[in-house]
C-alpha cells in the first residue's frame, strides 16, 4: 500500500471532451477562469423585471418575454419630447419596447402591439437601428420606425373620462391632427404611465382611443402623443406569420452600407436608407426556394453571411447585397443552424451539435459534441440573437436540458481553450430554459455590457459578483486502474486578484464531496408535499420515484433553494409513498415547489467548513475522508456557498492509498 | 487521513506525488492554430467564390449600378435597357459607361 498525492489541475473549463487537455473538469457553475485557477465570481444579475409602480396597467406590470435587443438612440427618459441619446432597446413578446438609458432601469417607451397586430400572434419581430439613428421594428407585414429626430406632441390639458374612449383637448387651440391615428398616447395618471392607442380622429379637439380609459375623470391630464413612432411605415406586402415548420416567424436584421436587410422566411427584403425605398416579399432583394427559413444575417469581411434552415438542416451562404445568387458555394451543415455571430470579420456558427468557424467559403470545427451533445443534440432556440462574442469569449444559449452538464442558461465558450463555463442566474434556476437572447451592448457610457433577454426579466452578466453557490465537479481522478482508498482532499483557495472593495472581514462555506464512480451519477425525483416547518425534512413518494439512498446528495435546480445541495443522513418510510428524508443541515428556505424535479446524486459528503468574519484565507483547507471509501476512479465536488467575496479555487490535491492490483 | 498524518508520511518519504505532464501549451497552440489559419492565411477556398463567377456568363442588369464594388469582377457591369446596351466600369469612385452598338 502506498500513499499517493495526485494534483488535480482541472481548472480550465468543461464541456468539450478534449482528450489531451487535463485541465478540463466535468462541470461547474458560477466559476470563471482566473490567473491561478477559477474564481467563483460570475452570474447574471437582473436589470429589470418591469416597473409595476410606474406602469400600473396590469398588462405592463412585467417586462415579459424578451426576444430581441438593439442599441440605438432615444430619449433620456420618457418624460421628454425629443432627444437622440445612446440607449439600448428590448422588444418583448407583446410588442412592447423598453429602453435603458446609460444602463439605467428601463422604461416602457412604446406599446406597439396593444390593440394592434403589428407583430402578429407568433411573430418575433426584427429590431435594428439604421445609420440614420432610426429604430426599425419589422412586424408581420409592416416595417415600423421610430425616428428620434421627430418630437412627440405634449399635452397638459387632456380630458379623459373613466370608462369612455373619448378624449378631448380643453384649451382653445386645436391640438389633435389626423396623422395621430394609430399612434400611442402615453398618459400620466397619478404619477404612473398608461398607454392607449389612438383609434380615430374626430376634430382638432377630439379623438378616441382603442379600449376605454381607466382612471379618474379629469380635464388636465398630461400626455404625450408618440409621433416619433410609426408602425406601418413600410409595407412588405404579405403577412409573415410563421416559418415553414409552423414555428415563430423570427426576423433577423442587419445593416450593410446604406441598406438594412430583413430575413422573412425564404426572402431577404431590404430598406435603402438613402432613398427610403424597400424591396418587398413579392420582389425581394434575395430569395431562397420555399421551405428555407432565414435564421441569421451577419456582415463580415467577405460579404454578408445568410443562414437558413431547410428540413432540419442548416445552410450558410455568402452574398454581396447585389447578386441574385450567392457569391460562393453554399455551405451545407450537418445539423440544424441555431445561431451565427460575427467574429473578427469571420463568423462563429452554432448548430445543434457543433461550434464552427467560417469565412463564408470554408468551415473549421471548433467544438464537436460539446456539452454531452454526443448523447443528445440540442433543441434550437428560435430567436435571432442567441450568441455574442466579447473578446476571446463566445457566449451562447441553446436548447438545454437539466441532464448532466447541460443546465439551462448561459454558457461561455473560450475560443482559446475551447472549454465552456456556465453562468448561473441570480435565482440559480438551472432547470427552466428562461434565456431568450443575448446582446453585447455598447450604449452605456461606462463600457460594454453583455445583456441577456429572459422570460420575465432583462438581465446582464456581472463578473466579480459571487453567486449564492458556485460548484465544480472534477473529471475522474486517481491514476491507473488499481483500487484505491480515498484518504483526503487538500484545497487551496484565494481571493480574485481583480476584486476591489473596501477591506473588511469576509465569510464563506466550502463543502467537499466525493463519488467513487461505482453507480449511476444522477437521478431525479420530486417533492411529494411542500416542506413545512422543518428546513431539513423532505417527503418523497418512492412508489413513483426511485428510492433515494441515505448518504445521497439532494440538489435543487429550481425553486426557493435552487443551487443549494444537502446530503441525506437518515430516512424513514423507504419505498413508501411518504418516505421522509432528513438532511445533514437546514436548507435556506422551505421548498414549496412540488412540480419541478430535484436531483439526487451519489456524491458523499466529506465535510462542510464554515469561515465567518475572517480577514485571511486559511493557508490549507484539508478535508479528511474518514469512511475509507474505495474505488478506482473518484469524482470530487467542491461548493463555495454564500461567499461575501469572489473566492478563487486553485489546483487541489487528492490523497489516496493505492491498494495495488487486486 | 488527517493532515498531521499525511505530513508525517511525507516527511518520511512515504508519499508519492502524482502529476500528469503539463501539455497545456501544446494543446492550446494546436487548438488556436485553427482560428489563426482562418483569420490570417487565405486559402484556395477563400477564392472559390470568385472562381465560381468566372465559370459563368455574367448576367446583365437593367438599372445603372450604384453600389460600391467589393472585387475586380464587381467593378464591371453589363447593362441592357430596351435597345440600349452599355458596359459600366467603376473608376475613381464613380461608375462610367460606354454605349455599345
Amino acid at each position: 500500500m502506498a500513499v499517493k498525492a495526485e494534483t488535480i489541475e482541472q481548472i480550465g473549463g468543461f464541456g468539450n471532451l478534449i482528450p489531451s487537455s487535463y485541465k478540463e473538469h466535468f462541470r461547474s457553475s458560477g466559476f470563471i477562469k482566473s490567473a491561478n485557477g477559477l474564481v467563483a465570481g460570475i452570474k447574471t444579475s437582473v436589470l429589470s423585471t418591469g416597473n409595476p409602480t410606474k406602469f400600473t396597467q396590469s398588462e405592463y406590470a412585467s417586462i415579459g418575454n424578451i426576444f430581441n435587443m438593439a442599441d440605438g438612440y432615444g430619449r433620456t427618459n420618457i418624460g421628454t419630447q425629443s432627444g437622440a441619446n445612446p440607449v439600448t432597446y428590448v422588444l418583448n413578446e407583446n410588442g412592447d419596447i423598453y429602453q435603458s438609458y446609460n444602463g439605467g432601469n428601463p422604461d416602457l417607451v412604446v406599446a406597439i402591439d396593444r390593440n394592434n397586430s403589428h407583430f402578429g400572434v407568433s411573430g418575433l419581430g426584427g429590431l435594428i437601428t439604421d445609420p440614420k439613428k432610426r429604430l426599425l421594428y419589422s412586424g408581420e407585414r409592416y416595417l415600423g420606425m421610430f425616428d428620434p429626430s421627430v418630437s412627440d406632441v405634449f399635452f397638459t390639458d387632456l380630458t379623459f373620462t373613466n370608462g369612455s374612449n373619448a378624449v378631448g383637448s380643453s384649451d382653445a387651440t386645436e391640438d389633435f391632427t389626423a396623422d395621430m391615428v394609430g399612434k400611442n398616447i402615453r398618459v400620466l395618471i397619478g404619477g404612473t404611465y398608461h398607454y392607449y392607442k389612438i383609434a380615430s380622429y374626430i376634430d382638432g379637439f377630439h379623438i378616441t382611443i382603442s379600449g376605454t380609459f381607466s382612471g379618474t375623470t379629469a380635464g388636465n391630464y398630461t400626455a404625450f402623443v408618440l409621433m416619433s413612432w410609426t408602425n406601418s411605415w413600410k409595407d412588405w406586402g404579405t403577412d409573415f406569420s410563421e416559418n415553414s415548420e409552423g414555428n415563430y416567424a423570427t426576423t433577423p436584421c442587419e445593416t450593410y452600407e446604406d441598406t438594412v436587410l430583413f430575413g422573412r422566411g425564404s426572402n431577404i427584403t431590404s430598406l435603402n436608407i438613402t432613398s427610403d425605398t424597400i424591396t418587398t416579399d413579392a420582389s425581394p432583394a434575395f430569395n431562397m426556394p420555399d421551405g428555407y427559413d432565414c435564421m441569421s444575417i451577419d456582415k463580415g469581411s467577405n460579404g454578408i453571411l445568410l443562414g437558413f434552415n431547410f428540413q432540419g438542416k442548416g445552410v450558410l451562404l455568402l452574398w454581396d447585397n447585389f447578386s441574385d445568387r450567392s457569391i460562393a458555394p453554399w455551405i451545407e451543415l450537418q445539423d440544424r443552424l441555431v445561431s451565427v455571430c460575427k467574429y473578427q470579420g469571420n463568423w462563429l456558427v452554432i448548430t445543434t451539435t457543433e461550434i464552427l468557424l467560417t469565412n463564408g467559403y470554408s468551415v473549421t470545427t471548433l467544438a464537436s459534441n460539446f456539452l454531452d451533445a454526443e448523447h443528445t443534440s440540442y433543441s434550437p432556440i428560435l430567436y435571432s440573437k442567441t450568441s455574442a462574442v466579447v473578446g476571446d469569449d463566445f457566449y451562447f444559449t441553446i436548447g438545454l436540458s437539466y441532464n448532466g452538464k447541460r443546465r439551462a442558461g448561459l454558457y461561455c465558450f473560450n475560443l482559446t481553450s475551447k472549454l465552456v463555463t456556465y453562468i448561473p442566474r441570480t435565482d440559480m434556476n438551472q432547470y427552466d430554459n428562461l434565456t431568450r437572447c443575448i446582446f453585447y451592448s455598447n450604449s452605456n457610457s461606462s463600457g460594454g455590457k453583455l445583456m441577456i433577454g429572459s422570460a420575465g426579466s432583462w438581465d446582464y452578466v456581472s463578473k466579480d459578483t459571487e453567486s449564492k453557490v458556485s460548484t465544480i465537479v472534477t473529471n475522474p481522478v486517481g491514476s491507473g486502474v488499481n483500487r484505491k482508498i480515498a484518504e483526503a482532499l487538500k484545497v487551496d483557495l484565494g481571493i480574485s486578484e481583480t476584486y476591489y472593495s473596501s477591506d473588511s472581514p469576509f465569510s464563506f462555506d466550502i463543502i467537499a464531496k466525493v463519488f467513487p464512480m461505482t453507480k449511476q451519477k444522477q437521478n431525479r425525483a420530486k417533492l411529494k408535499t411542500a416542506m413545512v416547518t422543518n428546513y431539513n425534512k423532505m417527503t418523497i413518494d418512492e412508489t413513483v420515484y426511485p428510492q433515494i439512498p441515505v448518504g445521497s446528495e439532494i440538489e435543487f435546480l429550481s425553486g426557493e433553494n435552487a443551487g443549494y445541495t444537502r446530503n441525506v443522513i437518515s430516512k424513514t418510510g423507504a419505498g413508501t409513498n411518504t418516505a421522509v428524508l432528513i438532511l445533514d443541515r437546514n436548507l435556506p428556505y422551505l421548498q414549496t415547489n412540488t412540480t419541478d424535479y430535484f436531483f439526487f446524486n451519489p456524491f458523499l459528503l466529506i465535510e462542510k467548513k464554515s469561515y465567518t468574519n475572517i480577514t485571511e484565507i486559511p493557508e490549507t483547507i484539508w478535508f479528511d475522508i474518514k469512511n475509507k471509501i474505495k474505488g478506482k476512479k473518484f469524482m470530487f465536488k467542491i461548493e463555495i456557498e454564500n461567499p461575501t467575496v469572489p473566492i478563487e479555487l486553485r489546483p487541489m490535491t487528492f490523497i489516496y492509498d493505492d491498494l495495488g492490483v487486486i | 487521513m488527517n493532515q498531521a498524518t499525511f505530513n508525517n508520511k511525507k516527511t518520511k518519504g512515504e508519499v508519492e506525488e502524482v502529476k500528469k505532464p503539463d501539455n497545456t501549451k501544446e494543446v492550446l497552440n494546436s487548438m488556436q492554430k485553427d482560428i489563426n489559419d482562418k483569420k490570417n492565411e487565405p486559402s484556395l477556398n477563400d477564392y472559390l467564390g470568385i472562381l465560381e463567377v468566372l465559370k459563368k456568363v455574367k448576367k446583365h442588369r437593367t438599372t445603372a449600378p450604384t453600389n460600391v464594388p467589393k472585387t475586380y469582377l464587381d467593378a464591371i457591369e453589363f447593362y441592357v435597357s430596351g435597345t440600349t446596351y452599355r458596359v459600366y466600369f467603376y473608376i475613381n469612385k464613380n461608375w462610367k459607361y460606354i454605349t455599345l452598338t
Side-chain angles (χ1 to χ4, degrees):
Chain A
M1 197 161 74
V3 175
K4 294 187 177 178
E6 181 174 327
T7 307
I8 305 173
E9 292 197 75
Q10 299 173 7
I11 48 176
F14 69 101
N16 203 6
L17 296 178
I18 302 171
S20 55
S21 174
Y22 67 90
K23 299 230 169 180
E24 180 174 350
H25 51 261
F26 178 78
R27 183 183 75 79
S28 60
S29 168
F31 278 106
I32 51 171
K33 64 184 184 301
S34 64
N36 305 302
L38 295 166
V39 166
I42 192 166
K43 67 176 182 182
T44 64
S45 294
V46 176
L47 179 65
S48 176
T49 58
N51 193 340
T53 61
K54 200 175 200 176
F55 305 99
T56 51
Q57 282 169 295
S58 59
E59 59 266 43
Y60 307 129
S62 164
I63 203 165
N65 188 351
I66 296 170
F67 57 80
N68 215 333
M69 287 184 263
D71 277 347
Y73 301 87
R75 320 299 194 213
T76 53
N77 62 66
I78 60 173
T80 55
Q81 287 173 267
S82 59
N85 307 280
V87 297
T88 304
Y89 289 104
V90 299
L91 173 64
N92 74 10
E93 62 190 330
N94 302 314
D96 303 331
I97 294 179
Y98 291 74
Q99 76 162 44
S100 170
Y101 168 67
N102 217 15
N105 202 23
D107 278 332
L108 171 63
V109 289
V110 71
I112 292 164
D113 241 15
R114 306 292 180 177
N115 310 310
N116 181 298
S117 58
H118 182 78
F119 293 107
V121 175
S122 60
L124 302 178
L127 195 69
I128 194 167
T129 301
D130 77 5
K132 288 183 171 176
K133 296 188 174 181
R134 301 177 299 192
L135 181 72
L136 306 175
Y137 47 99
S138 182
E140 193 171 45
R141 172 165 175 168
Y142 296 97
L143 177 64
M145 183 267 289
F146 162 68
D147 188 345
S149 69
V150 175
S151 295
D152 298 318
V153 179
F154 182 58
F155 295 90
T156 56
D157 64 335
L158 294 192
T159 300
F160 284 85
T161 305
N162 188 36
S164 169
N165 68 348
V167 181
S169 174
S170 58
D171 66 11
T173 308
E174 290 194 21
D175 294 314
F176 295 122
T177 54
D179 59 357
M180 291 180 176
V181 174
K183 304 288 187 187
N184 260 179
I185 181 167
R186 182 197 298 139
V187 190
L188 187 59
I189 304 174
T192 67
Y193 291 96
H194 288 221
Y195 280 91
Y196 297 95
K197 189 82 67 183
I198 296 178
S200 69
Y201 164 80
I202 298 170
D203 57 38
F205 298 98
H206 300 90
I207 58 170
T208 63
I209 56 174
S210 296
T212 56
F213 178 73
S214 178
T216 305
T217 300
N220 58 347
Y221 276 110
T222 295
F224 290 89
V225 173
L226 303 181
M227 299 305 290
S228 50
W229 296 83
T230 306
N231 292 341
S232 302
W233 185 48
K234 301 290 178 185
D235 184 358
W236 299 125
T238 60
D239 284 342
F240 172 50
S241 56
E242 59 183 29
N243 70 13
S244 69
E245 296 178 322
N247 292 320
Y248 291 121
T250 185
T251 306
C253 314
E254 178 64 294
T255 58
Y256 187 76
E257 298 179 343
D258 61 352
T259 307
V260 187
L261 301 164
F262 301 86
R264 292 172 53 82
S266 59
N267 294 328
I268 306 295
T269 59
S270 64
L271 166 74
N272 182 294
I273 61 130
T274 304
S275 60
D276 277 349
T277 55
I278 61 169
T279 59
T280 62
D281 290 327
S283 182
F286 185 88
N287 72 324
M288 294 285 280
D290 288 345
Y292 281 79
D293 297 315
C294 184
M295 288 296 296
S296 63
I297 307 174
D298 295 273
K299 64 191 171 194
S301 297
N302 294 332
I304 304 162
L305 190 73
L306 305 176
F308 292 86
N309 277 319
F310 176 67
Q311 296 178 356
K313 296 277 195 295
V315 59
L316 303 171
L317 51 101
L318 206 54
W319 186 51
D320 59 0
N321 192 29
F322 168 69
S323 304
D324 54 4
R325 301 285 297 273
S326 68
I327 60 173
W330 293 9
I331 299 171
E332 300 275 359
L333 304 174
Q334 298 178 57
D335 298 286
R336 189 182 288 269
L337 175 65
V338 175
S339 185
V340 174
C341 182
K342 302 181 191 76
Y343 176 61
Q344 298 185 357
N346 296 306
W347 298 272
L348 294 162
V349 178
I350 299 180
T351 73
T352 48
T353 58
E354 294 178 307
I355 297 176
L356 310 168
L357 176 69
T358 182
N359 55 12
Y361 298 103
S362 59
V363 168
T364 298
T365 302
L366 299 184
S368 183
N369 292 325
F370 64 106
L371 291 174
D372 289 345
E374 71 274 21
H375 301 303
T376 312
S377 64
Y378 307 107
S379 55
I381 292 180
L382 301 168
Y383 306 104
S384 294
K385 293 174 182 163
T386 54
S387 61
V389 169
V390 182
D392 202 25
D393 290 325
F394 181 37
Y395 295 84
F396 65 93
T397 188
I398 199 166
L400 294 153
S401 65
Y402 39 81
N403 291 310
K405 301 168 185 174
R406 300 162 56 167
R407 307 294 172 86
L410 180 65
Y411 286 83
C412 174
F413 179 83
N414 183 268
L415 292 165
T416 301
S417 71
K418 296 184 179 169
L419 297 172
V420 303
T421 50
Y422 172 69
I423 302 164
R425 291 164 52 87
T426 292
D427 63 8
M428 298 297 292
N429 186 337
Q430 303 163 62
Y431 185 93
D432 301 303
N433 219 344
L434 301 173
T435 306
R436 297 289 177 268
C437 58
I438 299 167
F439 178 67
Y440 186 54
S441 167
N442 291 91
S443 72
N444 193 329
S445 62
S446 63
K449 210 168 202 178
L450 191 68
M451 311 299 292
I452 312 297
S454 302
S457 62
W458 188 3
D459 308 326
Y460 61 96
V461 172
S462 32
K463 293 184 177 178
D464 264 2
T465 308
E466 60 282 359
S467 56
K468 290 189 284 190
V469 184
S470 296
T471 304
I472 178 171
V473 179
T474 70
N475 270 328
V477 293
S479 287
V481 296
N482 292 353
R483 280 175 64 78
K484 306 164 183 80
I485 296 174
E487 291 282 2
L489 182 71
K490 184 167 90 63
V491 178
D492 287 323
L493 299 180
I495 296 178
S496 169
E497 72 273 18
T498 61
Y499 176 72
Y500 62 96
S501 182
S502 57
D503 194 16
S504 58
F506 55 91
S507 305
F508 68 94
D509 293 340
I510 178 168
I511 301 106
K513 300 181 183 185
V514 62
F515 166 47
M517 296 193 68
T518 52
K519 60 172 83 169
Q520 185 175 332
K521 201 183 79 54
Q522 63 191 28
N523 212 321
R524 60 182 186 171
K526 292 179 181 177
L527 282 177
K528 182 180 183 184
T529 55
M531 293 172 68
V532 180
T533 309
N534 296 311
Y535 287 73
N536 68 336
K537 194 172 177 181
M538 298 168 54
T539 303
I540 317 295
D541 184 348
E542 291 192 344
T543 65
V544 175
Y545 298 106
Q547 293 197 32
I548 301 174
V550 172
S552 297
E553 175 196 71
I554 302 293
E555 180 182 18
F556 290 95
L557 303 184
S558 60
E560 299 90 335
N561 291 300
Y564 290 98
T565 70
R566 296 292 184 264
N567 282 74
V568 179
I569 56 170
S570 66
K571 177 178 173 181
T572 59
T576 70
N577 62 359
T578 51
V580 177
L581 311 180
I582 305 298
L583 308 177
D584 66 303
R585 57 195 168 105
N586 283 348
L587 286 159
Y589 307 97
L590 292 171
Q591 185 85 7
T592 57
N593 189 334
T594 59
T595 56
D596 281 351
Y597 289 103
F598 61 82
F599 274 170
F600 60 96
N601 307 316
F603 278 95
L604 304 171
L605 178 66
I606 303 172
E607 192 181 357
K608 164 186 168 276
K609 292 177 184 286
S610 294
Y611 299 94
T612 306
N613 284 325
I614 58 173
T615 54
E616 282 187 24
I617 294 278
E619 187 177 343
T620 301
I621 298 178
W622 186 275
F623 291 96
D624 185 356
I625 305 172
K626 295 173 178 169
N627 297 327
K628 301 290 181 190
I629 297 168
K630 290 182 181 176
K632 293 179 179 175
K633 296 284 182 186
F634 299 84
M635 296 173 81
F636 286 94
K637 185 173 192 179
I638 296 290
E639 294 173 347
I640 307 290
E641 191 174 300
N642 299 326
T644 57
V645 293
I647 299 291
E648 182 181 64
L649 177 69
R650 297 166 182 168
M652 300 176 280
T653 307
F654 171 37
I655 292 102
Y656 57 89
D657 280 339
D658 192 327
L659 302 177
V661 181
I662 298 177
Chain B
M1 182 182 293
N2 61 35
Q3 191 171 2
T5 306
F6 175 79
N7 289 342
N8 190 30
K9 284 181 177 290
K10 195 174 180 187
T11 305
K12 293 177 181 174
E14 295 175 359
V15 175
E16 178 186 335
E17 292 198 15
V18 180
K19 189 169 183 179
K20 296 181 181 177
D22 189 348
N23 63 345
T24 309
K25 196 172 178 183
E26 291 78 4
V27 171
L28 292 181
N29 286 343
S30 163
M31 292 191 294
Q32 192 61 22
K33 184 174 180 299
D34 300 337
I35 294 179
N36 291 338
D37 285 352
K38 192 68 67 185
K39 285 195 292 198
N40 301 329
E41 299 167 20
S43 68
L44 182 60
N45 283 334
D46 296 331
Y47 300 97
L48 282 179
I50 292 172
L51 295 174
E52 283 291 318
V53 173
L54 290 175
K55 286 163 62 181
K56 301 169 189 169
V57 175
K58 189 174 180 68
K59 189 179 175 184
H60 72 267
R61 55 187 302 150
T62 57
T63 57
T66 57
N67 59 301
V68 179
K70 293 277 191 300
T71 68
Y72 177 78
L73 291 174
D74 295 340
I76 303 169
E77 293 290 348
F78 301 149
Y79 168 94
V80 179
S81 179
T83 58
T84 305
Y85 287 73
R86 296 173 183 164
V87 176
Y88 279 84
F89 300 96
Y90 190 77
I91 304 170
N92 193 23
K93 297 183 181 179
N94 287 293
W95 283 102
K96 301 293 181 182
Y97 67 85
I98 54 176
T99 303
L100 307 176
T101 57

